[in-house]
Amino acid sequence: MVGKILEPEIRSLIDARNFGALREVFREWPPADVAEVILDMPEDEQVIIFRVLPPALAADVFEYLDLDAQQKLLRAMAHEQVVGILNEMSPDDRTALLEEMPSAAARQLIRLLTPEERHVAQSLLGYPEGSVGRLMTPDFIAVHDDWTVQQVLDFVREHGQDSETLNVVYVVDDRGKLIDDIRMREFLLKPLTVKVSDIRDQVFVALSVSDSQQDALNVFRKYDRTALPVVDSNGILVGIVTIDDMLDVAEAEATEDIQKLGGMEALDEPYTTIPLLRMVKKRATWLIILFLGEMLTATAMQGYNSEIEKAAILAMFLPLIISSGGNSGSQATTLVIRAMALGELTLRDWFRVVRKELLSGLSLGLILGCIGFFRIALWQYLHIFDYGKYHWLVACTVGSALVGVVLWGCLAGSMLPFLLRRFGLDPATSSAPFVATLVDVTGLVIYFNVALFILRGTLL
């Protein structure tokens, strides 16, 4: 939006080749705002803007672009520009770019880095995909236990420019092993002669390079941190992970779960850029599975064909019964999957969930069952529709079936994520459409068996 507003002014400066004025326009802007403006411009003009930006600002702006825009710009930029931006980028953002590129292109870009930056990039890319090691940056401030506050502040002034964050200072021993972390405000509020050992509380939280990004996200959420240290198997401090990286992980995890809950494979790339055939493939697989599952509904109905012929009135309420069970199951599975993602539920909590969903399903079933019962009774009383002389039995059948189907939907929807996790699968795979399909088939069986029990000797 900002780019659209300023587009005429920026274009006039580009057409006039007034690059000095163009540089001044962006010099005082936050990098995120500059990135927003650039994304609203045509690709050829994006390259021109990057060419006039100071190298440090260009790298900062580049980090705020999405991966697709970054790759397009790298292809359009001159060789010197690419070299400058890649070497100025923060290690964690550069790793995110390189790991999304084809291996041949990534190797080519790594060769453009300085020896020092190349070593950092190769080290980070050497960690397993999806691990904390891929997210961390080696730019941090580490001090020793016997230093004074004065020495710490002098060290920060000298080396803090390249640090990812100065909110926390890390204390290491002579071998580089992490022994504590101290907030910067502690140093700012203490006398200059106080030693680090006198400030330490020996209480800290650290991540391992091999931890999964999802586990790291839970640690950040639990301890309410903006940055956490990362150690190797020997406890040596090798990097830090900051909250901005965790926000990206949270967004990616939430996107993946939402897409799976919709009944398809996770797209793994933006909707606007994914090729049509790949999107169709990811959506078709689950649609076929769900379609085959729904065929069981027809099979179940065939098994009760004679009952439907004798009491055709039962068929009128099939959509009502099926949708109620599917909706209750979808609600339950969504709640449980989200609670699992937030770390609120573990496998050990399954029985606790069963008890809660038994009560919830029974309560919800009674509510819907009463509504269904009184709806049939009211329509009969107002002569809106004639359900026959056994209308009270039909109303009881529908009401009772709703209680059973909704109760079963809640139980099935809540237990399926636990079952999937027990076998090492992603609970989000138990999507709402999948649960609805499962409950549709079993809901029919419940409905017609209730009908057989209540209507036997009358309509059946």
Side-chain angles (χ1 to χ4, degrees):
M1 181 63 70
V2 177
K4 293 295 184 184
I5 296 173
L6 296 178
E7 186 174 340
E9 178 185 350
I10 296 172
R11 283 232 170 125
S12 65
L13 292 175
I14 293 175
D15 293 340
R17 316 296 288 177
N18 192 350
F19 299 133
L22 189 62
R23 184 181 296 108
E24 291 302 319
V25 168
F26 294 117
R27 185 181 295 277
E28 302 300 326
W29 283 32
D33 290 344
V34 180
E36 183 182 349
V37 171
I38 288 176
L39 288 175
D40 286 334
M41 306 295 291
E43 191 172 314
D44 57 334
E45 294 179 358
Q46 291 180 8
V47 176
I48 293 175
I49 294 173
F50 262 96
R51 190 175 298 146
V52 303
L53 293 177
L57 177 59
D60 289 340
V61 172
F62 190 81
E63 292 174 3
Y64 280 98
L65 302 177
D66 59 69
L67 290 172
D68 184 58
Q70 288 179 340
Q71 293 178 18
K72 287 181 180 178
L73 272 172
L74 287 178
R75 289 192 291 267
M77 285 179 180
H79 179 269
E80 325 64 81
Q81 282 183 282
V82 175
V83 172
I85 286 177
L86 287 177
N87 282 287
E88 286 286 341
M89 288 181 72
S90 59
D92 51 339
D93 290 318
R94 184 172 57 216
T95 302
L97 169 65
L98 293 174
E99 69 180 355
E100 291 297 327
M101 300 193 73
S103 56
R107 286 195 297 269
Q108 185 176 0
L109 292 178
I110 289 174
R111 284 196 290 269
L112 301 178
L113 300 173
T114 63
E116 182 181 354
E117 294 296 334
R118 187 183 307 129
H119 174 73
V120 171
Q122 291 173 335
S123 298
L124 297 182
L125 288 170
Y127 293 108
E129 187 174 351
S131 69
V132 168
R134 287 285 185 100
L135 286 179
M136 71 179 185
T137 175
D139 298 331
F140 55 88
I141 293 293
V143 301
H144 292 285
D145 210 25
D146 57 351
W147 288 15
T148 64
V149 170
Q150 179 69 65
Q151 289 176 298
V152 171
L153 295 178
D154 290 341
F155 185 80
V156 170
R157 290 189 188 97
E158 184 178 354
H159 301 283
Q161 184 66 34
D162 298 326
S163 179
E164 182 79 3
T165 177
L166 294 176
N167 291 342
V168 180
V169 173
Y170 302 96
V171 185
V172 297
D173 62 15
D174 294 334
R175 296 185 298 111
K177 184 175 181 179
L178 179 66
I179 56 178
D180 210 344
D181 60 0
I182 304 175
R183 297 180 186 273
M184 177 56 74
R185 68 185 180 191
E186 296 293 334
F187 295 106
L188 297 176
L189 297 174
K190 297 293 183 184
L192 297 179
T193 55
V194 172
K195 287 193 173 184
V196 172
S197 57
D198 297 326
I199 303 176
R200 286 178 50 205
D201 59 7
Q202 300 183 359
V203 177
F204 65 93
V205 180
L207 301 170
S208 170
V209 290
S210 58
D211 287 343
S212 71
Q213 295 176 5
Q214 179 63 54
D215 290 341
L217 184 62
N218 292 333
V219 174
F220 267 84
R221 186 182 292 117
K222 178 179 179 179
Y223 293 100
D224 195 23
R225 296 296 186 94
T226 57
L228 280 174
V230 182
V231 298
D232 63 12
S233 57
N234 296 316
I236 305 299
L237 179 61
V238 292
I240 63 172
V241 175
T242 51
I243 190 63
D244 59 317
D245 298 310
M246 285 295 101
L247 290 174
D248 292 336
V249 171
E251 181 181 13
E253 291 283 344
T255 300
E256 180 179 337
D257 287 348
I258 290 169
Q259 289 172 348
K260 286 182 178 179
L261 282 171
M264 62 181 179
E265 293 181 48
L267 296 184
D268 299 325
E269 53 188 304
Y271 176 85
T272 54
T273 59
I274 186 172
L276 177 62
L277 289 178
R278 193 179 305 165
M279 183 172 67
V280 170
K281 179 182 177 181
K282 287 183 174 292
R283 294 171 66 175
T285 303
W286 270 104
L287 279 178
I288 292 171
I289 293 173
L290 294 172
F291 181 74
L292 294 175
E294 287 291 357
M295 286 185 176
L296 297 175
T297 304
T299 303
M301 290 186 67
Q302 290 170 8
Y304 294 98
N305 189 51
S306 59
E307 284 77 9
I308 295 176
E309 288 179 351
K310 295 176 184 176
I313 196 73
L314 295 177
M316 293 179 57
F317 300 100
L318 280 174
L320 176 72
I321 301 294
I322 290 176
S323 63
S324 297
N327 291 341
S328 62
S330 299
Q331 283 184 343
T333 197
T334 301
L335 290 172
V336 170
I337 289 172
R338 188 55 183 162
M340 284 182 168
L342 295 175
E344 298 171 358
L345 291 177
T346 64
L347 283 175
R348 292 177 299 177
D349 297 315
W350 71 272
F351 188 67
R352 174 184 166 196
V353 174
V354 166
R355 286 186 301 177
K356 179 168 284 190
E357 288 303 318
L358 270 173
L359 295 174
S360 297
L362 183 60
S363 302
L364 294 170
L366 286 171
I367 292 171
L368 296 185
C370 289
I371 294 174
F373 178 89
F374 285 111
R375 189 268 189 192
I376 295 174
L378 183 62
W379 257 238
Q380 182 74 28
Y381 177 76
L382 297 176
H383 305 291
I384 295 176
F385 188 87
D386 184 12
Y387 293 101
K389 65 177 181 177
Y390 298 112
H391 61 275
W392 289 113
L393 292 178
V394 172
C396 289
T397 299
V398 172
S400 302
L402 280 169
V403 175
V405 169
V406 171
L407 177 59
W408 166 246
C410 290
L411 285 175
S414 61
M415 288 298 101
L416 193 56
F418 282 98
L419 186 64
L420 290 172
R421 174 163 284 187
R422 177 65 181 83
F423 288 102
L425 301 174
D426 187 354
T429 308
S430 59
S431 62
F434 182 77
V435 172
T437 301
L438 173 66
V439 176
D440 284 354
V441 179
T442 51
L444 283 173
V445 176
I446 293 172
Y447 177 42
F448 283 112
N449 277 284
V450 169
L452 283 171
F453 178 77
I454 295 178
L455 299 176
R456 188 181 301 275
T458 54
L459 291 178
L460 300 178

